[in-house]
Amino acid sequence: MTGLWLAVLLVGAVSMALKATGPVLLGGEELPAAMQRVVTLMAPTLLAALIATQMFGQGKSLVIDARAVGLVVGAFGVWRKWPTLLVVVLGAAATALTRLVTS
């Protein structure tokens, strides 16, 4: 297991532990609004960090290649609220076309 995946598992475990300790410590009461916002944003932040490292990291260097084009096309489709399947297909097609043109 690489260090990256170990870190992902560790952060995931800490995230789940934090989500579980709130209700246990509060005894069934609601979390304060500030803490609720933090807990709500933990999973998307972890997912964004994982996507960023997988998309742009290669070893200890930063790499921007055809995958970035697919990510931009996909992000545009999500922003425009296109259907998910269309976003995935367009992102994959943009990545494939970029690889075809640049290789």
Side-chain angles (χ1 to χ4, degrees):
M1 179 178 299
T2 65
L4 174 66
W5 284 109
L6 184 61
V8 168
L9 290 174
L10 180 64
V11 170
V14 169
S15 175
M16 286 189 292
L18 283 173
K19 284 185 177 186
T21 55
V24 170
L25 293 177
L26 293 174
E29 295 179 21
E30 290 291 320
L31 286 173
M35 182 64 96
Q36 185 65 35
R37 285 192 300 269
V38 170
V39 170
T40 302
L41 292 175
M42 287 176 76
T45 303
L46 178 62
L47 181 59
L50 181 60
I51 289 170
T53 52
Q54 292 295 314
M55 286 293 300
F56 302 116
Q58 188 168 8
K60 292 187 178 189
S61 61
L62 177 68
V63 177
I64 297 179
D65 57 6
R67 295 175 294 180
V69 175
L71 181 65
V72 169
V73 169
F76 180 76
V78 169
W79 175 65
R80 298 295 299 163
K81 298 183 181 175
W82 292 344
T84 304
L85 182 59
L86 179 63
V87 170
V88 170
V89 169
L90 288 177
T95 302
L97 185 61
T98 304
R99 286 183 178 164
L100 181 67
V101 170
T102 58
S103 60

